[in-house]
Amino acid sequence: MAQIKAPRGTQDMLPANASKWEEVESTLLATAKAYGFREIRTPVFESTELFQRGVGDLTDVVQKEMYTFEDKGGRSITLRPEGTAGAVRAAVEHGLLNDALPLKLCYLTSCYRYEKPQAGRLREFHQFGVECLGTGEPIADAQLILFARRIFDAFGLENIHLELNSIGCPHCRENYYNALREYFSAHLETLCETCRGRLEKNPMRILDCKSPVCKEIAAQAPVILDYLCDECREHFETVKGYLDAAEVPYTVNPRIVRGLDYYTKTVFEFICDDIGAQGTVLGGGRYDGLVEELGGKSVPALGFAMGLERLLMVLEAKQYAFEGDAAPAIYFCNIGQNALRLSLSLCDELLADGFAADLDLMGRSLKAQMKYANKIGALFTAVIGDDDIAGDCIKIKNMRTGEVYESNVADFAENFENLVIQSTLFEGEVENNG
Ligand code: HAM
């Protein structure tokens, strides 16, 4: 029968890489926790309207990239293209904003965008995101950026630079939109069809169109920094002042507009030049109108998300030393059925005590069992035969030093635990969560 392949733009996470993902995710969650963020998990699919209203119906994401379908009940459903809209919807729906603010949420989620797959750009990808709801203070923008930097520090990454911009508020955009309309009108014939449709209602979206022709025209378009209202300008200056005081290096890039409609004021991206064209590892900013847009009270907010596949690409490019899979503490090799029964219960006892323990499940010969124990890097092996059971003496071999120890059956777990404690050579290598 013909083999079935994974859909284009998706990636299987194979066991060989699982420990890397685990390590990255636990570092991210631990860092977020230290900053007071608590995890939220929302559904992988939402009502399509959430993204049309939240992300914006003239964005590339909503117009071109969403996985939208009708369910059997005739509802329009969309696989989440990003995490912010769902997190804000859940916060509003469950009244989380009635508690003490700011509300700090974080998440690890899969996201779905029908994009042209290439290195660092997938149709199913994963984000680590954080959202801080309830504060409009510039200090919150600065701390969020410091937090993002802390993450890169936690992985020892220095080759990532921060680009910063302010895209103002609806008030400053009135004049800016007029300037954009005037500029783009002169290029109307050359713009792609989607952008022609954007000109009247939301000309800022033309600035992040992926079409090379639109990109070229957009490169010379007026920038919003020249149109900021007093409040937005002051906010931006204050954020920059805090970053300067904290000695955070950044570049103001007036061309950063972000691809999602909800952003206001500060926006930022962390970019790595070592992983090709899709170098934006993390992006975020303030979105002061989104909570209200999604039916909540008028509450300012901000956040960011980082692409985990891109972070892993950066870590691989930098040859980051992952801890790797922990070797099993002990592997039981058996000769005969009695030994197998005993191994099963001893192994189970050690597993209950928190040790990574395993036994032969393949009916292999003793030689093949020892070979397998070596292959999986077991730190100790116990070889059990009928004679050992009769003599109540089980031999435990330290696979690194070759030393052999003995234990009776009744005290096996306790003796093994002591052996591990004494065997300082393997300190930290033996998994014991007990
Ligand atoms: P975004 O810039 O669309 O922002 O996505 C955030 C990050 O997700 C990007 O910087 C990139 O690393 C990763 N990413 C995006 N698309 C893909 C893709 N097709 N393949 C692989 N990685 C991708 C947001 O999604 C906002 N919700 C961020 C945010 C949170 N803003 C405020 N709070």
Side-chain angles (χ1 to χ4, degrees):
M1 280 232 254
Q3 211 184 332
I4 299 170
K5 297 258 169 71
R8 194 165 134 76
T10 67
Q11 261 179 7
D12 292 310
M13 190 193 77
L14 298 175
N17 280 326
S19 62
K20 294 183 187 171
W21 279 84
E22 261 176 49
E23 200 177 320
V24 163
E25 289 177 356
S26 64
T27 302
L28 292 171
L29 286 178
T31 315
K33 212 171 159 188
Y35 279 80
F37 288 83
R38 288 159 73 207
E39 200 181 347
I40 186 165
R41 297 186 194 193
T42 59
V44 71
F45 60 86
E46 298 269 3
S47 296
T48 301
E49 195 193 346
L50 175 70
F51 304 112
Q52 287 168 334
R53 261 210 270 159
V55 171
D57 51 12
L58 290 183
T59 56
D60 260 15
V61 169
V62 171
Q63 284 190 315
K64 302 178 184 168
E65 297 168 2
M66 292 209 303
Y67 280 88
T68 298
F69 58 95
E70 203 171 275
D71 73 4
K72 291 194 195 315
R75 304 168 195 90
S76 181
I77 293 293
T78 293
L79 302 186
R80 68 173 157 237
E82 56 99 54
T84 309
V88 171
R89 183 216 27 86
V92 171
E93 188 171 337
H94 300 286
L96 304 187
L97 290 157
N98 299 331
D99 286 343
L101 297 177
L103 172 67
K104 292 179 169 185
L105 305 171
C106 67
Y107 50 82
L108 285 160
T109 55
S110 57
C111 298
Y112 302 85
R113 295 186 193 174
Y114 192 79
E115 293 195 78
K116 201 168 169 211
Q118 52 176 271
R121 191 193 280 165
L122 292 150
R123 291 181 173 168
E124 182 191 59
F125 60 98
H126 297 78
Q127 281 187 348
F128 165 70
V130 301
E131 313 294 350
C132 176
L133 287 77
T135 170
E137 297 298 319
I139 191 76
D141 308 37
Q143 202 209 12
L144 194 77
I145 289 170
L146 257 70
F147 171 20
R149 256 178 50 108
R150 173 74 43 231
I151 292 175
F152 295 118
D153 279 357
F155 292 105
L157 297 174
E158 289 162 358
N159 56 328
I160 311 244
H161 57 273
L162 164 63
E163 298 199 353
L164 194 66
N165 192 20
S166 171
I167 55 168
C169 63
H171 182 60
C172 4
R173 284 194 204 147
E174 269 176 42
N175 288 337
Y176 181 53
Y177 277 15
N178 285 335
L180 285 180
R181 282 189 199 106
E182 200 181 317
Y183 172 80
F184 284 120
S185 297
H187 302 274
L188 201 58
E189 299 308 310
T190 350
L191 289 177
C192 77
E193 207 187 314
T194 322
C195 285
R196 264 180 263 155
R198 289 164 168 167
L199 188 66
E200 257 326 292
K201 236 179 120 189
N202 193 346
M204 218 163 93
R205 287 283 65 95
I206 304 175
L207 299 176
D208 56 7
C209 177
K210 291 188 184 91
S211 136
V213 179
C214 298
K215 263 190 173 160
E216 204 183 313
I217 300 170
Q220 305 303 322
V223 293
I224 181 123
L225 274 186
D226 295 334
Y227 294 82
L228 292 185
C229 66
D230 289 347
E231 192 203 318
C232 289
R233 185 177 308 283
E234 197 187 319
H235 186 99
F236 193 44
E237 290 308 317
T238 314
V239 172
K240 286 192 294 178
Y242 288 136
L243 294 178
D244 293 336
E247 294 181 14
V248 175
Y250 59 85
T251 313
V252 173
N253 178 353
R255 301 268 160 212
I256 291 185
V257 285
R258 312 279 301 131
L260 313 162
D261 263 357
Y262 48 64
Y263 289 110
T264 52
K265 294 184 177 165
T266 319
V267 288
F268 55 90
E269 293 184 349
F270 281 81
I271 299 162
C272 176
D273 296 326
D274 300 344
I275 55 167
Q278 306 305 315
T280 308
V281 184
L282 182 151
R286 188 164 268 293
Y287 50 89
D288 290 345
L290 182 62
V291 180
E292 194 174 10
E293 181 66 44
L294 296 181
K297 41 192 174 187
S298 174
V299 161
L302 67 166
F304 66 69
M306 96 192 292
L308 295 189
E309 284 82 1
R310 291 190 194 173
L311 174 65
L312 271 136
M313 281 169 77
V314 177
L315 292 173
E316 306 260 333
K318 283 278 134 193
Q319 300 184 327
Y320 178 78
F322 288 97
E323 279 171 18
D325 291 315
I330 184 162
Y331 189 80
F332 289 89
C333 302
N334 322 279
I335 313 158
Q337 279 301 311
N338 289 338
L340 201 55
R341 273 192 285 274
L342 179 61
S343 289
L344 185 65
S345 45
L346 290 178
C347 185
D348 200 47
E349 203 180 334
L350 290 183
L351 283 163
D353 288 346
F355 288 101
D358 207 353
L359 78 162
D360 176 51
L361 300 177
M362 300 292 293
R364 290 187 173 105
S365 69
L366 179 62
K367 197 173 156 203
Q369 289 181 56
M370 289 302 287
K371 205 169 151 194
Y372 182 73
N374 260 319
K375 189 174 169 203
I376 60 173
L379 302 173
F380 293 90
T381 50
V383 180
I384 311 179
D386 283 344
D387 289 351
D388 306 301
I389 299 172
D392 193 18
C393 177
I394 313 283
K395 291 192 181 61
I396 307 168
K397 184 173 173 187
N398 183 325
M399 297 293 279
R400 302 289 192 272
T401 63
E403 279 170 286
V404 177
Y405 310 87
E406 291 178 350
S407 169
N408 60 342
V409 172
D411 301 320
F412 187 88
E414 197 186 326
N415 288 337
F416 181 69
E417 202 163 325
N418 287 332
L419 193 59
V420 170
I421 293 166
Q422 284 158 24
S423 137
T424 47
L425 187 61
F426 303 116
E427 217 173 326
E429 276 192 72
V430 179
E431 195 158 304
N432 181 2
N433 309 317

